[in-house]
Amino acid sequence: RAPDEIRLALQPYGYYNPVILPSLEQDGDRWLARYEIDPGEPTLITHLDVRIEGPGEQEPAIVKATSNLPVAVGKQLVHAEYERARQLLRTVALNAGYREARYSQHEVRVYQARNEAEIALHIATGEKAFFGPVTFSGGNITEERLRRYIPFEEGEVWSTQQLLELQRGLVGSGYFSAVDIVPQPGAAIDNHVPVEVSLVPNKLQRYSFGLGFSTNFGIQGSVDWLHRRINHYGHRLGAELSVSPVRQDVSTTYSIPLADPRTDVLEFSAIYRNEETTDVNSEITELRASRNFQRGQWREVLSLGYKHEVDDLADSQGVSNMLIPRATWTLVRADDRLHAGDGYRVDLETSGAAEAVLSDATFLQGIVRGKLVRSLGENGRLIVRGDIGATATNDFEDLPASNRFFTGGDSSVRGYEYKSLGPVNEEGELIGGKYLLVGSAEYDYNVFGDWFVAAFYDSGNAYNDSPDNIFSGAGVGIRWSSPVGMVRVDVANALSDDDRPWRLHITFGPDF
């Protein structure tokens, strides 16, 4: 049966006349089956008949799609490309408003003796449809709030993609355990199709628990609680506790969805953090109000926080109070955020305070962070990242620890302890810096399955005047692409230390 199965296996790739020479040899108790295969001449498309029938015959999007199909006269017949062409044409018709678009004919005729194929794709569009009224049932959220999830207006051209956006928004809200969107063509008036949305409320409260390890913080435990729906307006209340030997965080956040609840939210937070690193101890209590929203392709967060900090630094021990406005912008583009083959991320942040406005110090700070991932060959990828920060202040000694720059650790300069690098005083104790400069290059190679090996080089430091004392680290690592993020185990050498010690780094999380 094998020669016939081989012939069938070659046909989807356009080879209908292969020459297969089988042989069977016995060697003691073992048999060796060998198949020598000449795939022969490929089957070429000699005729392509694409027809748009009905009112959508002159629709620009459909006409454009017919001239950009994966199949064309003169190309080799590949069945998967034919299926893509068939699906593409109908999808374009559906998104152009022709929700009744159907194929009246779709076929491939293969003339095996001549290695030729003819393709016919005839699609009947039917009448163009428009969105009618949208009605909701269930959900325990006010209808006015629910309507903010609708990405289209009544009377707009029908689009399957827009219906999927509506469903994604409602599912992503977390308010509902089930979202069922059903068009009602039987109730259409003048091709305006009503839409019914049935909602099943989610459980009001969610609890989650976590346990992990990283070399920056050691063993970490976390507890997260969320009340999904405080009232019929969709307000939320959440709290989170995270504990490790290096840092302890407690926070609670009250969230109010805004005009576009899919992307815009107003948050009021209370935050407590205690962190003990090399030569630096800080205890922070902060009240913060922030607005999160989408600005084009960028994610923008504007916040105003009042921070009370008690810190212990080599050159500064005491208490500071700061009223800090902050703005951050984030842009992410990646083919897969968990494990990217190609992608990039840019983070911009600016913050400041003034002694004249409820603060014990005056400063202005800006930070730029970037990460780039590019595929190299079939199995490799290059990862480049960099951080640049700068602070303008009239009195550096008045700045609390959390507003100074330090570096070193799993996600900056590997080979060194977390936040162990930066300017020091005459006694060699860390005091932090006004500026930050860090760069990294890494190459990952896929050895098999979800396993990778890596080699990397990191360099940088925090400084006050000029970057004349740059620390470098290099090493190798193992990566496992788990279903929920990349697990990274690195062994790094502190190249800039005289004794050049080695350090283990373990981290977990998505690429972006």
Side-chain angles (χ1 to χ4, degrees):
R1 295 194 303 271
D4 290 337
E5 292 174 355
I6 291 172
R7 289 187 182 90
L8 289 175
L10 289 169
Q11 288 179 6
Y13 302 96
Y15 297 101
Y16 278 81
N17 292 297
V19 177
I20 302 171
L21 301 178
S23 63
L24 189 63
E25 301 174 3
Q26 185 176 10
D27 181 13
D29 294 335
R30 299 171 56 186
W31 291 84
L32 173 65
R34 179 183 286 108
Y35 302 89
E36 296 183 18
I37 304 167
D38 177 1
E41 294 295 321
T43 299
L44 302 181
I45 301 170
T46 58
H47 184 70
L48 178 61
D49 181 17
V50 181
R51 299 182 193 177
I52 311 301
E53 304 165 348
E57 182 181 3
Q58 301 300 322
E59 185 70 37
I62 302 177
V63 172
K64 182 179 179 180
T66 61
S67 60
N68 293 283
L69 294 175
V71 292
V73 172
K75 290 187 65 175
Q76 183 172 335
L77 173 66
V78 178
H79 288 219
E81 292 183 353
Y82 162 74
E83 292 296 335
R84 277 203 305 125
R86 187 166 69 92
Q87 184 63 38
L88 172 66
L89 200 57
R90 184 166 183 269
T91 298
V92 171
L94 291 173
N95 287 326
Y98 299 93
R99 63 176 308 274
E100 298 296 335
R102 298 288 186 275
Y103 278 103
S104 57
Q105 182 181 357
H106 58 89
E107 65 180 13
V108 179
R109 297 178 183 174
V110 176
Y111 299 93
Q112 186 172 353
R114 306 199 305 262
N115 290 317
E116 295 178 358
E118 297 178 353
I119 293 177
L121 292 172
H122 301 173
I123 190 168
T125 64
E127 296 292 331
K128 178 176 280 193
F130 304 87
F131 283 112
V134 179
T135 56
F136 294 91
S137 61
N140 294 333
I141 300 289
T142 64
E143 184 165 325
E144 184 271 335
R145 294 279 174 172
L146 290 173
R147 291 196 172 279
R148 295 183 184 183
Y149 287 93
I150 302 175
F152 53 83
E153 299 289 340
E154 185 175 339
E156 282 188 19
V157 173
W158 185 273
S159 168
T160 303
Q161 187 63 37
Q162 293 281 59
L163 284 182
L164 290 174
E165 284 295 320
L166 172 59
Q167 186 172 46
R168 275 196 289 263
L170 291 169
V171 170
S173 71
Y175 298 131
F176 314 109
S177 60
V179 177
D180 193 15
I181 299 179
V182 183
Q184 302 293 319
I189 300 175
D190 296 330
N191 290 326
H192 286 65
V193 180
V195 177
E196 289 187 0
V197 181
S198 299
L199 305 169
V200 178
N202 213 337
K203 293 180 179 179
L204 284 180
Q205 301 194 48
R206 184 201 71 196
Y207 298 89
S208 60
F209 304 88
L211 183 65
F213 177 84
S214 74
T215 40
N216 274 354
F217 304 112
I219 296 176
Q220 297 171 275
S222 64
V223 180
D224 184 29
W225 167 78
L226 176 66
H227 194 300
R228 292 187 172 96
R229 191 180 65 255
I230 293 293
N231 52 37
H232 293 307
Y233 300 103
H235 296 191
R236 293 186 177 93
L237 178 63
E240 184 175 358
L241 168 67
S242 177
V243 178
S244 74
V246 175
R247 191 166 75 185
Q248 301 83 46
D249 291 279
V250 182
S251 64
T252 182
T253 301
Y254 189 88
S255 304
I256 302 173
L258 299 177
D260 188 345
R262 296 172 300 173
T263 58
D264 302 350
V265 63
L266 179 64
E267 295 182 337
F268 299 95
S269 303
I271 302 163
Y272 171 81
R273 170 174 293 173
N274 182 61
E275 186 173 84
E276 299 181 11
T277 61
T278 305
D279 293 336
V280 180
N281 299 330
S282 67
E283 185 177 357
I284 299 171
T285 305
E286 183 177 1
L287 297 176
R288 182 190 302 166
S290 60
R291 183 188 176 189
N292 302 257
F293 58 101
Q294 199 74 24
R295 186 180 294 276
Q297 295 183 344
W298 292 80
R299 186 68 181 168
E300 181 174 286
V301 181
L302 303 178
S303 67
L304 180 65
Y306 189 76
K307 181 179 66 171
H308 173 80
E309 182 168 349
V310 180
D311 56 28
D312 183 1
L313 278 162
D315 67 339
S316 172
Q317 295 83 31
V319 178
S320 62
N321 296 291
M322 310 276 276
L323 181 66
I324 302 178
R326 177 179 282 105
T328 64
W329 297 270
T330 302
L331 173 65
V332 179
R333 288 290 176 270
D335 52 8
D336 184 343
R337 289 200 178 196
L338 285 179
H339 180 246
D342 290 284
Y344 63 89
R345 174 175 179 141
V346 179
D347 293 278
L348 309 176
E349 179 180 329
T350 182
S351 61
E355 290 183 70
V357 187
L358 301 175
S359 298
D360 293 333
T362 298
F363 78 95
L364 179 63
Q365 190 172 85
I367 304 172
V368 179
R369 295 184 174 92
K371 184 176 183 180
L372 175 69
V373 178
R374 282 290 178 265
S375 297
L376 291 180
E378 293 185 2
N379 298 314
R381 62 175 191 160
L382 177 67
I383 304 173
V384 179
R385 57 177 172 83
D387 300 341
I388 300 174
T391 309
T393 180
N394 56 1
D395 193 345
F396 179 73
E397 291 186 359
D398 287 343
L399 278 184
S402 62
N403 296 108
R404 302 185 184 193
F405 289 118
F406 303 86
T407 190
D410 301 338
S411 58
S412 57
V413 183
R414 284 164 286 189
Y416 301 87
E417 189 178 347
Y418 174 63
K419 286 188 176 182
S420 64
L421 303 180
V424 297
N425 61 13
E426 294 179 354
E427 287 74 33
E429 299 172 311
L430 276 174
I431 60 172
K434 292 191 293 184
Y435 306 102
L436 176 69
L437 183 62
V438 174
S440 172
E442 176 175 318
Y443 177 73
D444 291 359
Y445 185 81
N446 183 209
V447 287
F448 64 89
D450 295 325
W451 292 89
F452 298 75
V453 293
F456 57 86
Y457 181 86
D458 303 335
S459 186
N461 199 7
Y463 58 96
N464 280 323
D465 298 316
S466 61
D468 55 356
N469 191 19
I470 297 299
F471 289 84
S472 298
V476 294
I478 298 174
R479 309 281 183 266
W480 174 49
S481 182
S482 78
V484 291
M486 187 70 76
V487 178
R488 308 171 184 88
V489 180
D490 293 325
V491 178
N493 182 257
L495 299 177
S496 301
D497 282 4
D498 293 336
D499 53 354
R500 300 181 67 170
W502 291 87
R503 185 171 181 84
L504 177 69
H505 295 273
I506 300 175
T507 57
F508 167 77
D511 282 331
F512 293 106

